Amino acid sequence: MPAMPTPLYTAEQIRTRVAELATSLATRFPTDETPHFVAVLNGSFMFLADLVRAMTRPVTIDFVRMASYGSATTTSGTPRLVHGPNSDLRDRHVVIVEDIVDTGLTLHKLREHLLAAQPRTLDTVVLLDKPARRRATVPVDLVGFRIPDRFVVGYGLDCDGAHRHLPYLGIVEAS
Ligand code: IMP
């Protein structure tokens, strides 16, 4: 059994912040347009599920998966798109939904792919922003929580497959 994470944000704090993000997002697009959310698997599944249910307007949803080489608690420099998107992004108001931006390399690569599909707009909402290790300059429009350079798990985020199911966010020591 892996050691339990040290709590960082409770389920209640996350719920409150996700509702605020949903409110901000809902006002960003014309009322007669349906924003198209592109969520990054696997880590963003819980965030996405809560975010869309807190939205006061319809959205459409698609998923992508990025892969990068490296161990559980470090991010390597070579992310690539391995799945999706399975929808036509042309002329859509696309919103990337990501669990965490760390070096920024994953988001940078994903934005390149999605921009090539010629969306009308491309926004990004991340639950967590870890600015200390940023290596790529990437625009992030909405941030849930800005956090220090610690390895965070729970609420969809894992460490070697562990802790993803937890309803709260916590810190584990890097291996
Ligand atoms: P980046 O490319 O360095 O910005 O990292 C993005 C990806 O690294 C995220 O989508 C996560 O999968 C993973 N990652 C970075 N930091 C953490 C963390 O603290 N906990 C869990 N996953 C993380």
Side-chain angles (χ1 to χ4, degrees):
M1 270 272 270
M4 289 311 285
T6 307
L8 179 63
Y9 294 107
T10 64
E12 182 58 24
Q13 287 172 312
I14 297 168
R15 194 189 62 74
T16 301
R17 186 67 189 123
V18 170
E20 290 169 356
L21 293 175
T23 302
S24 302
L25 268 174
T27 60
R28 280 179 95 87
F29 309 102
T31 46
D32 57 343
E33 306 261 0
T34 303
H36 188 53
F37 284 16
V38 174
V40 186
L41 293 169
N42 295 328
S44 70
F45 82 95
M46 217 179 268
F47 177 38
L48 174 79
D50 286 345
L51 189 65
V52 296
R53 285 181 292 180
M55 293 286 290
T56 52
R57 55 182 295 171
V59 299
T60 52
I61 299 167
D62 196 1
F63 295 94
V64 292
R65 185 189 293 271
M66 306 289 291
S68 55
Y69 304 99
S71 71
T73 53
T74 61
T75 315
S76 83
T78 53
R80 62 203 167 89
L81 184 67
V82 294
H83 170 82
N86 289 329
S87 48
D88 186 5
L89 307 186
R90 196 185 184 91
D91 229 21
R92 299 293 307 272
H93 290 289
V94 172
V95 179
I96 298 173
V97 180
E98 172 68 301
D99 52 356
I100 184 166
V101 53
D102 183 13
T103 64
L105 295 171
T106 303
L107 202 48
H108 181 77
K109 191 61 161 182
L110 178 60
R111 279 181 54 84
E112 264 181 20
H113 277 286
L114 300 190
L115 284 169
Q118 299 187 299
R120 185 161 340 155
T121 58
L122 181 59
D123 287 5
T124 300
V125 55
V126 299
L127 178 66
L128 301 171
D129 179 11
K130 217 195 295 188
R133 301 196 325 136
R134 196 73 94 253
R135 286 170 57 195
T137 307
V138 277
V140 177
D141 301 281
L142 289 171
V143 172
F145 302 102
R146 196 152 280 130
I147 60 168
D149 185 13
R150 306 294 297 278
F151 201 82
V152 175
V153 294
Y155 197 67
L157 288 89
D158 77 316
C159 180
D160 270 343
H163 306 305
R164 209 188 274 289
H165 64 290
L166 294 172
Y168 64 92
L169 286 157
I171 291 171
V172 293
E173 296 312 320
S175 54

